[in-house]
Amino acid sequence: MHSRNRRIRGASVAAFASLCGLVNAQETPPQSPPPAAPPVAPAAQDDFSKALDQELGKAPSSANPAKPSTPAAVDLPGGAQLKLLDISLDVLASLAGSTERSSEMQNLQLGDHDPNRRGFRLNQAEISLQGAVDPYFTAEMHLVTSIESDTGDTGVELEEAFFTTSALPYGLQIKGGQYLTEFGRINSTHPHAWDFVDQPVIFGRVFGGDGMRSPGARVSWLAPTPWYSELIVGVQNADGPQMTSFLGNADTTFPGGQVQNNRELRSGGDLMYNARLLQSWDTGDSVVTQFGMSGAVGPNAAGASTGTSILGADLKIKWQPPKNDDGWPFVIWQTEALRRNLGSDTQAVDPDGIPASGDEFTAPGGTTHDTGGYTYLLWGFERDWIAGLRYELATASGPSALPREDDPLRDDRQRISPLLIWQPTHFSRVSLQYNLDFADHLSHDASSIFLRIEFLIGSHPAHKY
């Protein structure tokens, strides 16, 4: 239901947010007026927090009038305020059934926090802290815990921890720390922010099960155009377990049977560089369109001097009548496609993918290509109820030491997923989703059904439209 923390610029944000409404109540649409403050809590969540604060004597009320300032908040440029610390807990849990065994489901459900086994699963519990450092910086941290499907062990990971500037001139903003790469719409959001319950297939193949993220820094520029236009340029480490298309680590599996080479950071050419251009505009009073293009380049460990490039494009169109019931009804069409080009050297490896050690064969060098995407429709047909339908496609080409039809990470895949959501409040959501998978590595089509529940307590950062 939520995504990364964003700036909210200009006094017209509230009107724009009312137009865009929500599939998830906390979406915050981008705006074109001059830069201002970091994000503000969603309206319903803000009202809820105010009510609690009034009970505790912390917020203005008729009996407790507002004061010019309080130690619990920091004044920000543009007249906004941000609390010094907001804490939240967001929990995802699921119940799954499938025609495939749990071990095979993990080849179908590539996301680390997907429902990827029969029965119950705690997909994740995320603790988030965010707030103002001072009038010039905000900070954010997301700590994720989950129970491993195969071992039952509890895993803890620091998913993100970064600062963001809040007072730079000329529409500029800097982010630095550990963060999800701003590539497309899915990679830069947490699983609880997705409309569907699982990660698209092509994203699992290209970005890994936990999304592409690494320590680094990026600069964004909000162009002074009549419509919303933002350019993001960043640089991050190319190594680590979440940089699967680049240097990765010792456990990284490369496509086509290529194996890990020991490549260390030697110069700026061994970092990963990315860029994203985002455009948004209104069509009349009822339609908002957003189009984005993304790219990433950097070295990979499938050779001594090989590299990877990833290109992507995304489109989101949302219709909602000016007169609506807290965001309903609405229709959303969202589409995203990407392509990875991964270079590799010719290598001698044994059948288990280990560098030459006896019973060996040749992994051909060259460039492998992985292409795919998804498209879906969401229809908020009645207050608190949403219906959806998604189609996915993933394919690959180029040299490979393994037969593609036997490789779950490179075979031809298609998936159709109908969805029904009940969202009674801004703080809870129940999703029922069915997946029909067509995959070359399967001897038959696979059917899976998921029931997922999400609940949120506390105040979570607002998210982008």
Side-chain angles (χ1 to χ4, degrees):
M1 263 186 325
H2 315 279
S3 70
R4 299 289 88 56
N5 185 22
R6 277 187 76 80
R7 291 169 287 171
I8 296 181
R9 300 179 171 93
S12 64
V13 165
F16 196 102
S18 175
L19 166 64
C20 292
L22 42 88
V23 173
N24 308 311
Q26 294 83 0
E27 283 185 349
T28 301
Q31 287 302 304
S32 54
V40 184
Q45 211 166 280
D46 191 48
D47 292 342
F48 181 74
S49 299
K50 288 178 181 177
L52 288 178
D53 288 344
Q54 288 176 10
E55 289 295 321
L56 298 172
K58 297 179 181 178
S61 67
S62 57
N64 182 23
K67 297 179 181 180
S69 63
T70 71
V74 168
D75 294 322
L76 296 169
Q81 281 194 330
L82 186 66
K83 291 182 179 179
L84 294 179
L85 183 62
D86 281 331
I87 303 175
S88 67
L89 170 66
D90 193 286
V91 176
L92 295 179
S94 62
L95 173 63
S98 178
T99 57
E100 304 305 302
R101 296 179 179 179
S102 293
S103 57
E104 184 62 36
M105 284 184 68
Q106 296 186 34
N107 289 327
L108 296 176
Q109 304 295 113
L110 300 181
D112 286 350
H113 303 286
D114 287 354
N116 60 4
R117 58 165 295 160
R118 293 174 176 175
F120 293 95
R121 186 187 184 198
L122 177 63
N123 304 76
Q124 70 170 47
E126 178 186 286
I127 299 173
S128 297
L129 293 86
Q130 65 97 26
V133 177
D134 52 35
Y136 309 102
F137 295 94
T138 64
E140 195 168 323
M141 186 196 79
H142 300 275
L143 185 69
V144 175
T145 63
S146 60
I147 298 177
E148 302 298 331
S149 296
D150 49 351
T151 65
D153 295 335
T154 299
V156 180
E157 59 180 338
L158 181 60
E159 192 168 64
E160 293 191 288
F162 58 86
F163 74 85
T164 307
T165 61
S166 54
L168 292 183
Y170 308 114
L172 295 172
Q173 185 192 66
I174 297 174
K175 176 196 285 188
Q178 165 88 357
Y179 60 90
L180 285 156
T181 306
E182 287 159 312
F183 191 110
R185 306 195 67 92
I186 295 292
N187 186 75
S188 59
T189 57
H190 298 170
H192 59 75
W194 302 341
D195 295 313
F196 286 75
V197 307
D198 49 1
Q199 183 187 55
V201 172
I202 189 62
F203 284 81
R205 292 184 176 186
V206 174
F207 297 132
D210 218 18
M212 183 166 67
R213 54 188 168 90
S214 185
R218 63 86 164 142
V219 178
S220 69
W221 175 54
L222 188 63
T225 56
W227 65 94
Y228 182 94
S229 179
E230 184 178 30
L231 176 64
I232 297 173
V233 178
V235 56
Q236 292 174 278
N237 289 345
D239 60 346
Q242 282 78 43
M243 303 299 284
T244 57
S245 287
F246 297 97
L247 294 181
N249 67 1
D251 297 325
T252 299
T253 300
F254 286 97
Q258 306 299 336
V259 296
Q260 172 74 257
N261 283 270
N262 185 19
R263 288 183 62 178
E264 297 182 352
L265 177 65
R266 297 163 295 185
S267 67
D270 293 323
L271 298 172
M272 187 279 292
Y273 297 86
N274 77 287
R276 176 164 171 76
L277 178 63
L278 186 63
Q279 308 283 304
S280 181
W281 61 92
D282 299 348
T283 304
D285 296 329
S286 303
V287 178
V288 178
T289 301
Q290 201 172 77
F291 175 72
M293 296 184 294
S294 305
V297 296
N300 68 48
S305 59
T306 53
T308 296
S309 65
I310 309 172
L311 300 174
D314 56 272
L315 175 68
K316 181 174 183 178
I317 301 175
K318 183 168 187 175
W319 169 87
Q320 184 180 83
K323 293 183 179 180
N324 57 77
D325 182 8
D326 197 21
W328 276 264
F330 64 84
V331 175
I332 289 177
W333 176 39
Q334 181 168 312
T335 298
E336 190 165 358
L338 58 88
R339 179 180 176 90
R340 175 179 66 182
N341 307 298
L342 190 150
S344 60
D345 291 340
T346 300
Q347 300 167 339
V349 299
D350 72 15
D352 294 323
I354 302 172
S357 61
D359 185 14
E360 58 190 55
F361 66 96
T362 299
T367 302
T368 62
H369 308 284
D370 297 270
T371 307
Y374 67 86
T375 184
Y376 67 69
L377 279 172
L378 291 174
W379 175 31
F381 59 93
E382 186 176 330
R383 176 65 187 267
D384 303 337
W385 289 93
I386 305 164
L389 182 64
R390 180 185 65 185
Y391 171 75
E392 298 180 62
L393 174 67
T395 187
S397 61
S400 176
L402 306 175
R404 283 204 308 113
E405 61 272 13
D406 297 332
D407 186 353
L409 294 178
R410 304 207 71 227
D411 66 344
D412 289 338
R413 286 276 307 271
Q414 295 184 70
R415 184 159 71 184
I416 299 173
S417 305
L419 170 73
L420 181 65
I421 299 173
W422 176 51
Q423 186 172 303
T425 71
H426 299 315
F427 306 98
S428 62
R429 179 170 59 163
V430 179
S431 302
L432 180 65
Q433 180 177 317
Y434 170 75
N435 282 2
L436 179 59
D437 279 281
F438 308 93
D440 285 350
H441 76 271
L442 296 174
S443 59
H444 55 273
D445 302 335
S447 294
S448 305
I449 189 166
F450 313 109
L451 178 65
R452 191 183 76 173
I453 184 169
E454 173 187 2
F455 60 86
L456 165 72
I457 57 175
S459 179
H460 197 280
H463 21 94
K464 56 193 174 189
Y465 167 67

